[in-house]
Amino acid sequence: MSEPFSAVEVIVRKRDAGELTDPEIDWVVDAYTRGVVADEQMSSLAMAILLNGMNEREIARWTAAMIASGERMDFSGLSRPTADKHSTGGVGDKITLPLAPLVAACGVAVPQLSGRGLGHTGGTLDKLESIPGWRVALSNEELMAQLESVGAVICAAGDGLAPADKKLYALRDVTGTVEAIPLIASSIMSKKIAEGTGSLVLDVKVGSGAFMKNLEHASELARTMVALGTDAGVRTVALLTDMDTPLGLSAGNAIEVQESIEVLGGGGPADVVELTLALAREMLAGAGIDDIDPADRLADGSAMDSWRAMISAQGGDPDAALPVARESHVVAAPSSGVLTRLDAMAVGVAAWRLGAGRSRKEDPVQAGAGVRWHARPGDQITAGAPLMTLLTDEPARFDRALAALEGGFEIVADASYEPRPLLMGRVD
Ligand code: URA
């Protein structure tokens, strides 16, 4: 079949900071999915986009082309409104786990099609797979039935959803082109729009452990995604939240499930509770529910009931003991003072090197591996007291994890500590 455009011409136009036309965008995304545009050509185009950007029209068209590469789901037949949440990825970010059943307990259907972790950021599916028996893959029929009966589903996105993104994201991952705002925005939003949710709350992370290191870039990403969602008829808002410090007190798989269960039981770290409730309130507002306070559903046990139903519906045993790492190593505080910094990236890389994360998408992860920290910035520390516990099945991993933590925290005697707010902004 003769092709209407040449990949080289499209690449050269973007390389020279030109605008791609709608037909060019439709073609290049489709031809890449068909294998007509080669990986090396698409990686070159992705780099040109990273360096020269795209305007709003180009981003919207690129997103539409990625949606058109696959199927679209439709939840309009459900008896409840739908709301979804997406985080751009962080360290210790287990929020989806308590959030989905909490919002379901408030009467909203939450179709949470999630991914696995890559590199220093953990993946929701990897965390849940540490629960004995829990099943990640659901058919569309099972997904619908569970949304109607339980209200919350966390499962793997099927291969049919935005296949162009699947291929392009894997390519970006190995070509240094993940960080382009047009490509991140279109990647995330193509999947969310194709999934068919009625409303969407984005948690855009800002700081050392996030894609977006500063508020300016994070705000631009948030504005771009909110515009894409809104234009596609999805009620979309974004919260900008801190990721200089990891969330909660643990980064790993089973240990993050444990912390999520504590939150669902009415306890858990204050920052995890604060963010879970802030996102739940946005999701309820997006779904048109304004007379329920999600904090009540945590307190009265109904969010925990939803969690148990959600895990059981996917074959998991909510009462089973979670896997525990075979080996542990305690990092003692080297001095006394105030913990003024705990770097999310350092902790994320340490957890990854301990076996909680993967370097290539086909690598296995260890369910019990990860890092627990026993203090948060602002806490007073005594020299010699446990600061962190490293967990793994393979003790040979400790050295590289300790190397990742070097320079990753700071204890200052007599310091006054100004906390950075967790909620840094909102875009609608
Ligand atoms: N998550 C995605 O799904 N896509 C990106 O490009 C970045 C994060």
Side-chain angles (χ1 to χ4, degrees), residues 78-155:
L78 291 175
S79 61
R80 313 168 179 225
T82 46
D84 193 5
K85 165 259 183 183
H86 181 87
S87 157
T88 57
V91 178
D93 186 1
K94 71 276 298 165
I95 302 292
T96 296
L97 275 55
L99 180 66
L102 170 61
V103 173
C106 300
V108 174
V110 186
Q112 196 70 63
L113 305 186
S114 301
R116 296 185 184 281
L118 198 63
H120 75 282
T121 60
T124 299
L125 302 181
D126 295 322
K127 296 173 209 217
L128 283 169
E129 273 184 330
S130 62
I131 300 174
W134 187 82
R135 195 159 57 91
V136 69
L138 295 185
S139 67
N140 285 356
E141 293 70 33
E142 288 172 319
L143 169 66
M144 285 297 182
Q146 189 173 326
L147 278 177
E148 195 62 74
S149 60
V150 178
V153 176
I154 304 176
C155 67

Side-chain angles (χ1 to χ4, degrees), residues 44 55 72 74 122 128-129 133 152 198 208 211 228 248 266 292:
S44 180
N55 64 23
R72 288 189 80 151
D74 180 7
L128 283 169
E129 273 184 330
S208 78
F211 282 129
L228 285 172
I292 295 180

Side-chain angles (χ1 to χ4, degrees), residues 86 88 165 169 172 178 183-185 187-188 191 211:
H86 181 87
T88 57
D165 175 65
Y169 191 48
R172 288 165 54 212
V178 167
L183 296 179
I184 298 176
S187 165
I188 292 171
K191 287 173 286 200
F211 282 129

Side-chain angles (χ1 to χ4, degrees), residues 316-342:
D317 177 357
D319 297 313
L322 292 167
V324 175
R326 281 196 289 272
E327 307 286 337
S328 63
H329 174 95
V330 174
V331 179
S335 60
S336 296
V338 175
L339 182 66
T340 52
R341 190 169 64 83
L342 179 64

Side-chain angles (χ1 to χ4, degrees), residues 20-214:
L20 304 184
T21 65
D22 289 351
E24 281 172 337
I25 290 172
D26 294 347
W27 173 77
V28 81
V29 171
D30 175 58
Y32 177 59
T33 312
R34 287 187 283 123
V36 167
V37 168
D39 275 350
E40 58 270 26
Q41 293 176 312
M42 191 49 123
S43 61
S44 180
L45 180 59
M47 185 60 81
I49 292 169
L50 182 139
L51 295 173
N52 293 323
M54 276 179 155
N55 64 23
E56 264 178 43
R57 177 196 54 79
E58 290 174 292
I59 299 172
R61 193 69 182 205
W62 188 277
T63 306
M66 296 222 288
I67 294 169
S69 73
E71 64 180 12
R72 288 189 80 151
M73 299 183 68
D74 180 7
F75 298 125
S76 59
L78 291 175
S79 61
R80 313 168 179 225
T82 46
D84 193 5
K85 165 259 183 183
H86 181 87
S87 157
T88 57
V91 178
D93 186 1
K94 71 276 298 165
I95 302 292
T96 296
L97 275 55
L99 180 66
L102 170 61
V103 173
C106 300
V108 174
V110 186
Q112 196 70 63
L113 305 186
S114 301
R116 296 185 184 281
L118 198 63
H120 75 282
T121 60
T124 299
L125 302 181
D126 295 322
K127 296 173 209 217
L128 283 169
E129 273 184 330
S130 62
I131 300 174
W134 187 82
R135 195 159 57 91
V136 69
L138 295 185
S139 67
N140 285 356
E141 293 70 33
E142 288 172 319
L143 169 66
M144 285 297 182
Q146 189 173 326
L147 278 177
E148 195 62 74
S149 60
V150 178
V153 176
I154 304 176
C155 67
D159 286 342
L161 226 50
D165 175 65
K166 204 155 266 169
K167 198 170 171 193
L168 179 56
Y169 191 48
L171 183 75
R172 288 165 54 212
D173 201 40
V174 293
T175 56
T177 50
V178 167
E179 286 84 355
I181 286 179
L183 296 179
I184 298 176
S186 55
S187 165
I188 292 171
M189 295 307 294
S190 62
K191 287 173 286 200
K192 291 294 161 185
I193 295 166
E195 172 200 295
T197 183
S199 61
L200 174 66
V201 179
L202 298 161
D203 181 4
V204 179
K205 301 289 186 196
V206 191
S208 78
F211 282 129
M212 298 293 135
K213 307 292 179 202
N214 62 50

